[in-house]
Amino acid sequence: MLGGRPTVPKKLSATQQAVLTLHKINARSLFLAVNALLLLVVFYTSRRFPHKFVRVQGDCDSNWLHVDAKEGAETICCNNEAGGYEDAPCYTAMDLMPVLGSLKGAWSIPLSALIVNYGSMMLGPNVSMPRVRVYVRRGLLYVAMMALRTVVLYMGLGLVEKRLVHLLMGHSDQSCWYADLRRGKRCPADFDHSDHIVLLVSHYLAIPLFEWFAVSVESAGRSLKRTLLRGWIIIIGALATYLLFFTASYFHTTMENLVGLVIAQGCVMTPLMLLTQDYFASYKWLRLGNFVLPPDDHKRDN
């Protein structure tokens, strides 16, 4: 089977150990820096843009109202055309969020760098079944993380949160005047953690960060493949950060943003960071060597 049995740890040379240790340090620093920046973004956007908007139905590409809008207030229209994104909460390229949030986008874009990496390996001179198994296991790891986000953090946790909010805060689906303008004819929940932040951080930041680490370890020195893969990962991360900035700015409260960020960091980002450090080495199925090839040892090869 391609998944195969867990890789038996091979003794690395002193050179390989040194290179791998350096990459681990860099990965830990990168993960921590990204998480710190995400916290700063959430606090900044929440302080600068304290107003929350809710989506309503209308004739535009998307239609919005301030959550505390007075009865009869005019909806804000966002259209994908010149001048159509001038008023908050509209922003340029906001139509990309449904693409990244769709089932196809959320399950294919995060895997794209690995797929290209795998394809280039299969077409190269060093293809072997052990190498194939490592790439397949890494793909399965990413799928498991995305399944965790979708089934447990989105569907399961969302249901638990909804029931807790109703139990502790109470809520009337018709308590707002614009309930009839919303899909489902319901008012927004009193508390709704930002599942879009969970999605963006889990799928489009955490997984690409791990792939960045893997590419760095497996591709020694400068190469076209490494440059292209890193460039693509940067594009994915930059796009996710851009969308996260406006999601946190306009569509959720400070606490909703923070809860979403903490969920993503605790359940996806942190485990992947710990995996780069081989923190789970005592569990044979979770050893780093099962998911990332060891760095090349040019002295041994020569």
Side-chain angles (χ1 to χ4, degrees):
M1 295 176 63
L2 286 179
R5 300 173 62 182
T7 303
V8 177
K10 294 182 179 179
K11 185 174 179 60
L12 302 180
S13 68
T15 301
Q16 287 176 303
Q17 285 283 10
V19 171
L20 183 58
T21 299
L22 179 61
H23 285 304
K24 287 181 178 180
I25 294 173
N26 291 337
R28 183 171 63 247
S29 300
L30 183 58
F31 269 91
L32 292 175
V34 168
N35 280 283
L37 288 174
L38 288 173
L39 282 171
L40 289 176
V41 167
V42 167
F43 279 116
Y44 170 77
T45 55
S46 299
R47 182 176 179 83
R48 184 173 180 182
F49 307 102
H51 303 297
K52 178 180 176 181
F53 295 85
V54 293
R55 191 163 192 163
V56 294
Q57 294 179 318
D59 298 328
C60 304
D61 291 342
S62 61
N63 305 268
W64 304 88
L65 275 173
H66 188 280
V67 69
D68 296 322
K70 294 182 179 180
E71 187 169 355
E74 186 176 352
T75 60
I76 301 170
C77 179
C78 301
N79 276 323
N80 186 15
E81 59 185 28
Y85 293 133
E86 291 182 354
D87 300 320
C90 310
Y91 61 93
T92 302
M94 68 183 302
D95 52 316
L96 288 177
M97 189 66 241
V99 176
L100 269 66
S102 67
L103 185 63
K104 290 182 179 180
W107 282 75
S108 60
I109 297 175
L111 295 175
S112 57
L114 173 63
I115 292 172
V116 173
N117 197 0
Y118 175 82
S120 65
M121 184 271 295
M122 292 296 291
L123 296 174
N126 298 321
V127 60
S128 64
M129 188 53 66
R131 295 175 70 90
V132 170
R133 289 196 180 106
V134 168
Y135 279 75
V136 170
R137 290 194 198 103
R138 192 153 82 235
L140 293 175
L141 171 68
Y142 296 162
V143 169
M145 291 291 100
M146 292 189 291
L148 171 68
R149 199 284 309 178
T150 303
V151 178
V152 178
L153 303 183
Y154 177 62
M155 299 172 63
L157 190 59
L159 181 61
V160 171
E161 178 187 86
K162 183 177 180 180
R163 292 184 176 180
L164 284 176
V165 168
H166 277 264
L167 178 64
L168 299 176
M169 300 181 180
H171 184 66
S172 173
D173 290 338
Q174 301 296 322
S175 60
C176 59
W177 66 267
Y178 49 81
D180 289 339
L181 298 177
R182 285 176 52 80
R183 183 178 299 176
K185 310 300 181 183
R186 295 179 179 180
C187 297
D190 293 321
F191 183 87
D192 177 25
H193 80 268
S194 180
D195 51 87
H196 277 124
I197 287 183
V198 179
L199 167 69
L200 292 170
V201 173
S202 301
H203 287 223
Y204 297 101
L205 290 174
I207 289 175
L209 279 175
F210 190 91
E211 188 63 21
W212 179 285
F213 165 74
V215 169
S216 299
V217 173
E218 296 170 349
S219 302
R222 296 181 179 180
S223 67
L224 179 60
K225 182 185 81 169
R226 177 173 174 170
T227 301
L228 292 176
L229 287 174
R230 281 186 163 186
W232 177 239
I233 290 172
I234 289 173
I235 291 173
I236 293 175
L239 179 59
T241 304
Y242 175 80
L243 294 174
L244 185 148
F245 179 91
F246 289 103
T247 295
S249 296
Y250 298 136
F251 307 123
H252 290 277
T253 65
T254 303
M255 188 55 63
E256 290 172 346
N257 288 329
L258 283 175
V259 170
L261 182 58
V262 169
I263 289 172
Q265 289 178 328
C267 297
V268 179
M269 184 78 82
T270 299
L272 287 179
M273 182 191 73
L274 293 176
L275 187 56
T276 66
Q277 308 303 301
D278 212 6
Y279 181 82
F280 307 109
S282 57
Y283 303 94
K284 62 180 182 179
W285 287 98
L286 293 177
R287 290 169 183 158
L288 180 61
N290 290 324
F291 308 103
V292 180
L293 294 168
D296 292 331
D297 186 351
H298 296 291
K299 291 184 178 180
R300 179 180 292 181
D301 295 339
N302 293 333

